[in-house]
Amino acid sequence: MLRRTFVALTAATMIAAPAWAGSMKKDIVDTAAGAGSFETLLAAATAAELVDTLKGDGPFTLFAPTDEAFAALPEGTVETLLMPENKDQLTAILTYHVVPGKVMSTDLSNGMEAETVNGAAVTIMTEGGVKVQDASVVTADIEASNGVIHVIDSVILPPES
C-alpha cells in the first residue's frame, strides 16, 4: 500500500514537473504565483500580511489549497475572511497550512503529526493516498528556494480554541 502511494506521488510529481520548471530559483510565494491556480491563497496571504514571511528564508512546508478548494467553501466565506476585521481568523487558518521546515513526501509516515506555524498539529495519513487532515495531496514535493509546496484539494481548518 505504501509502495503504491509512493509510486502515485512520484508519477504525479513527474507529470507536474514541467509546469513548475525553474521553481527552485523562486520562493514559495513566487512559485505559487507562477502556477496560476493559487490566486485566492495569495490574496488571503496578502490580506493577512503573510507574504513577506512566506518569502523569507524558511524553510517552510506549505499545504497549498487551490482556487477550487477555496471555491468549495460555503458561499461568502472567502469574502468574509478577507475583511480587515477578520484578519486574526484568516491568519489562524493560513498558518495552519504551514509547517516549519522542509517536509518532503519521503519524510511522511502514516499517522504522523506535524506542528503547524499556527501552533496546532495536523495529522498526515499515507494509506490510500496522502491526506493532511481531510485534504488530499494532489501534487507533492514542489520545491522552492525556501521550502516545499504540497498542493491540497481542500482548505483545512484549525481546531477551535
Side-chain angles (χ1 to χ4, degrees):
M1 183 62 88
L2 186 57
R3 181 174 176 208
R4 184 173 33 184
T5 301
F6 179 74
V7 170
L9 283 173
T10 303
T13 301
M14 291 194 316
I15 291 167
W20 299 88
S23 66
M24 279 303 293
K25 295 179 180 165
K26 298 178 183 176
D27 59 47
I28 284 176
V29 173
D30 293 337
T31 300
S37 57
F38 301 103
E39 291 179 28
T40 307
L41 176 63
L42 295 172
T46 300
E49 298 179 2
L50 293 173
V51 171
D52 287 343
T53 301
L54 290 173
K55 288 177 91 43
D57 291 338
F60 305 107
T61 298
L62 173 63
F63 296 105
T66 62
D67 292 333
E68 291 175 351
F70 279 100
L73 292 171
E75 188 173 334
T77 301
V78 173
E79 293 78 9
T80 300
L81 287 171
L82 292 176
M83 292 178 179
E85 60 267 25
N86 297 322
K87 180 181 172 187
D88 289 345
Q89 184 181 10
L90 177 62
T91 300
I93 292 168
L94 293 177
T95 57
Y96 192 60
H97 289 78
V98 181
V99 172
K102 185 176 180 181
V103 182
M104 302 298 287
S105 62
T106 54
D107 299 324
L108 304 177
S109 61
N110 197 50
M112 78 179 283
E113 289 194 353
E115 186 168 334
T116 67
V117 173
N118 167 294
V122 291
T123 301
I124 299 169
M125 302 302 288
T126 58
E127 291 183 6
V130 177
K131 287 185 133 342
V132 178
Q133 296 301 98
D134 292 326
S136 294
V137 174
V138 294
T139 305
D141 297 338
I142 300 163
E143 293 190 73
S145 63
N146 64 342
V148 62
I149 299 170
H150 302 291
V151 181
I152 57 176
D153 66 353
S154 61
V155 177
I156 56 176
L157 300 175
E160 301 280 331
S161 38

